[in-house]
Amino acid sequence: KQEVTQIPAALSVPEGENLVLNCSFTDSAIYNLQWFRQDPGKGLTSLLLIQSSQREQTSGRLNASLDKSSGRSTLYIAASQPGDSATYLCAVIGAGNMLTFGGGTRLMVKP
Amino acid sequence: EAEVAQSPRYKITEKSQAVAFWCDPISGHATLYWYRQILGQGPELLVQFQDESVVDDSQLPKDRFSAERLKGVDSTLKIQPAELGDSAMYLCASSLKGQNTGELFFGEGSRLTVL
């Protein structure tokens, strides 16, 4: 059974810092990996989708990398802003579009 | 931009009552998912549909939960009777059929509080 772990569980940084969120998974037989953002009391917003054949994806200040063989992904946020404060979730997609989520990293960016 | 629609956004009910949630996926998305998210945790899959057929409901507590997608479009998730431990966010998501790019799109969720 696929297990996804996100470290750290919570992170507080001053505005402007570059930061890295980590995601690890136990079964490397995945089709792709997706990073989401969730604001309090809201649904999930897709940030980046990385296909299993890709190594990274970029969108604005966000860069996500994938190392399937080691079962790891990182989400890099450049020049963090208070508006980036949210919970960030990674999920791996296996056969049959089965999505398994990590527990999330709660990010607080202080002005 | 197309969105996954869910209702109600909030529901407060007493234990032992029945409750139902509705989801309308993005048009053309044949795969539909219901997830449950307990506060502070990641979402957990309850049921996955491909068109009108259930693909996976292994984590659905079938003694009290039921889900249907009769015409392969919108879906209803029902809980009867509700228990205190059912308090959570219920999230619906959809994705394109047979597309193992597998990008999922989520609705805003339905937050359930059982008193």
Side-chain angles (χ1 to χ4, degrees), chain A residues 34 36 46 93 97 99, chain B residues 33 35 93-95 102-106:
Chain A
Q34 196 167 354
F36 295 89
S46 180
I93 301 168
N97 268 5
L99 196 69
Chain B
Y33 312 77
Y35 284 86
S94 69
S95 66
E103 186 169 12
L104 268 69
F105 299 88
F106 281 80

Side-chain angles (χ1 to χ4, degrees), chain B residues 32-43:
Chain B
L32 184 147
Y33 312 77
W34 284 101
Y35 284 86
R36 177 171 61 184
Q37 186 179 28
I38 295 170
L39 192 64
Q41 300 181 18

Side-chain angles (χ1 to χ4, degrees), chain A residues 11 27 30 36 61 63 71 74 79 92 101 106:
Chain A
L11 182 63
D27 185 352
I30 65 170
F36 295 89
R61 295 182 294 109
N63 175 276
T74 60
V92 297
F101 280 90
R106 294 185 307 280

Side-chain angles (χ1 to χ4, degrees), chain B:
Chain B
E1 184 176 319
E3 294 183 344
V4 176
Q6 288 189 248
S7 67
R9 287 278 286 121
Y10 304 94
K11 179 69 177 179
I12 300 174
T13 191
E14 294 184 344
K15 65 179 182 178
S16 80
Q17 296 299 304
V19 62
F21 304 111
W22 176 81
C23 173
D24 191 14
I26 293 172
S27 178
H29 281 198
T31 309
L32 184 147
Y33 312 77
W34 284 101
Y35 284 86
R36 177 171 61 184
Q37 186 179 28
I38 295 170
L39 192 64
Q41 300 181 18
E44 294 182 326
L45 180 69
L46 290 174
V47 61
Q48 178 184 347
F49 289 92
Q50 185 70 31
D51 299 307
E52 68 278 7
S53 300
V54 173
V55 173
D56 185 350
D57 64 355
S58 57
Q59 301 302 311
L60 189 71
K62 298 182 185 66
D63 57 335
R64 297 184 301 107
F65 285 64
S66 64
E68 60 183 17
R69 194 184 183 199
L70 294 177
K71 296 182 179 179
V73 181
D74 59 336
S75 175
T76 302
L77 177 70
K78 296 179 181 177
I79 308 173
Q80 183 173 17
E83 295 181 353
L84 295 177
D86 296 332
S87 295
M89 175 78 88
Y90 291 82
L91 295 161
C92 180
S94 69
S95 66
L96 285 173
K97 174 182 179 180
Q99 181 185 12
N100 257 336
T101 63
E103 186 169 12
L104 268 69
F105 299 88
F106 281 80
E108 285 294 322
S110 295
R111 178 165 294 284
L112 173 65
T113 301
V114 182
L115 303 176

Side-chain angles (χ1 to χ4, degrees), chain A residues 48-77:
Chain A
L48 290 164
L49 175 72
I50 311 176
Q51 304 284 351
S52 62
S53 58
Q54 297 174 321
R55 299 285 289 185
E56 64 180 311
Q57 279 285 347
T58 298
S59 176
R61 295 182 294 109
L62 305 179
N63 175 276
S65 67
L66 174 63
D67 184 344
K68 258 185 64 172
S69 60
S70 67
R72 293 180 183 177
S73 176
T74 60
L75 179 67
Y76 176 83
I77 303 176

